Amino acid sequence: MEHIVIIGNGIAGITCARHIRKNSDAKITVISAESDYFFSRTALMYVYMGHMKWNHLKPYEDWFWKKNRIELKKTWVDSIDFEEKTLQFSSEETMSYDKLVLATGSVYNKFGWKGQDLNGVQGLVSKQDLELLEENTQNCKKAVIIGGGLIGIELAEMLKTRNIEVTFLIREEAFWHNVLPIQDAKMISKHIKSHGVDLREKTELDKIIGDENGSVKSIITKLGEEIECQLVGLCTGVRPNIDFLKKSALETDKGILVNEFLQTNIKDVYAIGDCVQLREPLPHRKPIEAVWYAGRMMGETLAQTLTGNAMKYKPGNWFNSAKFFDIEYQTYGNVSAKPGGNEMHFHWQHKDNTKAITIAFDANSNKFLGINTFGIRMRHVIFDQWLNENRKIDHVLANLKQANFDPEFYTRYEKDIFKSFKENLKKS
């Protein structure tokens, strides 16, 4: 019986295992040292905030794995002998495989700051990071978060529920402006500040200062200001978790290099999820996409190939979602942070500063390019259809009601949005 081994029990690895089992009787082993069972990583914050218990994060009952003949092994993989198709574990055990799937995820970035390894300095990616955060915030009064990404704002919300004072340092002139257009970024910055977070734009970390016990006591910004704190959250993005593979025959760059079938340069070895770097990404897609949706799609795609139906990875139109305190965010298609060429933006924002949309379109053809939506839930399938059909912005605005996914009796804003667009056209 063919033995397929998957290293990593995140969304990519587990989706792959489940879909292999749907189509095959192969022996499947999933290896991870992080947790006994697959859990919803995007919900880690809610355990810390007291909204959920750890067991609530498991999408499947514990008996699910045995029933579906998916063997789970909790251990670290120290090294891989690709020629002999053998894994070496930290316990000194070994395991052979016929096909290997690398789904090792990502780890948080460190950029060589002085003091970055002090007690009380950490990121937030894994279950172990969450457990460390519980320990590090037992007597914490003040925290400093470095970096303006999605993990940073999650950590800020988490800490505020424990009445911990938060200072948030970001390099950009507004929150996540490397991703969001300036109007969207400024709205989110304002919203973050409204929740009592001391958000400092255009401010970078210089070094972290420790006390006599090796614990953090303050940070120094590049402007020379010292900020007292007992916790430093490093939230300056993530990178592929591939350090243990760097000296092997596997071809890597920033991530594990794969082709359109998610194959590496080594026969019978594949890679999916956050650890992957596509050799030839599709237009408007990045070679590394460390997002939940991409991991799930890669897992589904590779399972087809591994069970005899060779399938190329085709992620389609870009989409993602997140939450900024009280504001839900969705994006479909491509909305550039700093539009150039023919890309134009139409921006509408409600007077309460918690609802907005930004639509990107081609100034010459009026072709719809993408949308950011804040505080208004939209249907993925509708925007995906409009993008595939190369619809014009006029069609999108005229039919925006079709895409609205808010429940019945929610206030609708389509008329205001359409009216605002027409007024902007007149002005221009």
Side-chain angles (χ1 to χ4, degrees):
M1 185 182 294
E2 184 176 59
H3 186 197
I4 301 175
V5 174
I6 301 170
I7 303 178
N9 72 343
I11 185 62
I14 292 301
T15 299
C16 188
R18 287 179 47 244
H19 283 263
I20 290 170
R21 177 54 70 233
K22 287 181 179 181
N23 301 320
S24 166
D25 287 324
K27 180 181 179 181
I28 304 170
T29 302
V30 177
I31 300 168
S32 173
E34 181 180 14
S35 59
D36 292 320
Y37 299 101
F38 167 59
F39 67 92
S40 178
R41 192 174 306 279
T42 53
L44 272 176
M45 64 184 293
Y46 298 111
V47 174
Y48 184 87
M49 294 164 68
H51 299 173
M52 303 176 78
K53 294 182 179 178
W54 177 252
N55 281 343
H56 298 159
L57 269 57
K58 295 189 289 187
Y60 305 102
E61 297 288 351
D62 293 350
W63 50 257
F64 173 89
W65 310 103
K66 185 176 181 179
K67 179 183 177 182
N68 287 278
R69 293 173 290 121
I70 298 174
E71 295 183 23
L72 306 178
K73 186 171 183 62
K74 189 177 182 183
T75 188
W76 294 104
V77 177
D78 272 354
S79 61
I80 304 172
D81 187 329
F82 292 109
E83 287 189 6
E84 296 296 325
K85 291 189 170 183
T86 303
L87 308 179
Q88 178 76 47
F89 300 134
S90 56
S91 61
E92 298 187 356
E93 294 177 88
T94 61
M95 178 182 288
S96 61
Y97 64 86
D98 295 304
K99 291 178 180 175
L100 178 65
V101 179
L102 300 168
T104 55
S106 55
V107 293
Y108 63 87
N109 283 324
K110 291 183 177 181
F111 291 107
W113 294 292
K114 181 181 177 181
Q116 67 181 19
D117 295 318
L118 288 166
N119 296 327
V121 181
Q122 68 163 101
L124 184 62
V125 174
S126 67
K127 177 177 183 282
Q128 286 72 26
D129 292 333
L130 184 72
E131 292 167 345
L132 182 60
L133 186 66
E134 281 285 358
E135 181 182 326
N136 283 336
T137 55
Q138 285 298 311
N139 298 300
C140 181
K141 303 295 183 185
K142 176 71 186 288
V144 174
I145 298 172
I146 312 299
L150 298 181
I151 296 175
I153 195 167
E154 284 186 359
L155 181 55
E157 184 174 356
M158 292 162 68
L159 295 173
K160 290 301 291 183
T161 64
R162 301 279 181 102
N163 295 316
I164 296 170
E165 189 179 342
V166 177
T167 297
F168 200 166
L169 309 186
I170 62 174
R171 291 188 302 174
E172 297 81 16
E173 63 178 298
F175 181 79
W176 216 27
H177 184 34
N178 59 321
V179 174
L180 299 177
I182 191 62
Q183 304 99 317
D184 297 344
K186 285 183 175 180
M187 184 186 79
I188 298 303
S189 280
K190 187 175 182 179
H191 186 66
I192 293 170
K193 292 174 182 177
S194 75
H195 281 268
V197 175
D198 179 17
L199 181 66
R200 309 274 188 96
E201 291 102 342
K202 297 182 180 179
T203 307
E204 296 184 57
L205 173 67
D206 182 30
K207 56 187 174 182
I208 304 169
I209 308 299
D211 62 18
E212 63 278 5
N213 299 315
S215 297
V216 61
K217 69 172 185 178
S218 65
I219 65 102
I220 307 289
T221 72
K222 286 192 175 181
L223 299 173
E225 180 184 0
E226 183 171 7
I227 303 174
E228 181 185 342
C229 59
Q230 297 82 46
L231 176 79
V232 175
L234 299 181
C235 302
T236 52
V238 296
R239 59 180 176 84
N241 180 24
I242 60 169
D243 286 351
F244 76 108
L245 299 166
K246 284 286 191 180
K247 294 181 181 179
S248 71
L250 193 71
E251 288 185 3
T252 63
D253 182 29
K254 291 181 179 178
I256 300 169
L257 293 167
V258 299
N259 65 12
E260 57 195 348
F261 290 97
L262 303 169
Q263 296 172 312
T264 71
N265 65 302
I266 298 176
K267 188 176 185 297
D268 294 327
V269 179
Y270 304 81
I272 53 177
D274 287 13
C275 64
V276 161
Q277 180 176 339
L278 293 167
R279 293 181 185 272
E280 297 181 5
L282 294 175
H284 305 296
R285 303 294 297 245
K286 295 179 180 178
I288 299 175
E289 293 182 339
V291 296
W292 188 91
Y293 300 108
R296 184 189 65 184
M297 287 189 286
M298 285 184 180
E300 291 177 355
T301 301
L302 181 57
Q304 293 295 317
T305 296
L306 293 177
T307 55
N309 178 28
M311 183 176 290
K312 295 179 180 180
Y313 174 58
K314 296 181 179 179
N317 299 306
W318 169 255
F319 67 98
N320 199 7
S321 64
K323 183 171 170 285
F324 308 121
F325 281 94
D326 307 314
I327 298 178
E328 292 186 21
Y329 157 75
Q330 297 167 280
T331 186
Y332 304 104
N334 300 291
V335 183
S336 302
K338 297 176 182 178
N342 295 327
E343 182 178 342
M344 295 287 289
H345 287 178
F346 161 65
H347 178 75
W348 170 88
Q349 188 169 319
H350 192 267
K351 60 185 178 182
D352 69 4
N353 294 315
T354 64
K355 289 172 278 292
I357 66 163
T358 295
I359 298 179
F361 62 99
D362 186 287
N364 291 337
S365 66
N366 279 336
K367 176 185 171 183
F368 170 59
L369 301 177
I371 185 170
N372 289 342
T373 175
F374 302 87
I376 304 172
R377 292 180 180 176
M378 297 291 189
R379 297 180 189 277
H380 176 196
V381 66
I382 297 295
F383 283 114
D384 199 48
Q385 178 184 330
W386 288 343
L387 288 164
N388 289 334
E389 292 173 348
N390 293 317
R391 291 290 188 176
K392 310 286 187 184
I393 184 175
D394 307 75
H395 175 87
V396 171
L397 287 165
N399 294 277
L400 204 55
K401 190 175 181 180
Q402 291 181 31
N404 194 304
F405 193 56
D406 277 330
E408 191 177 6
F409 304 123
Y410 267 54
T411 304
R412 303 289 175 140
Y413 303 97
E414 291 83 8
K415 288 182 179 179
D416 289 342
I417 294 168
F418 190 73
K419 181 181 177 183
S420 178
F421 176 69
K422 292 298 184 183
E423 289 174 352
N424 281 355
L425 278 182
K426 290 178 182 178
K427 292 177 183 177
S428 60

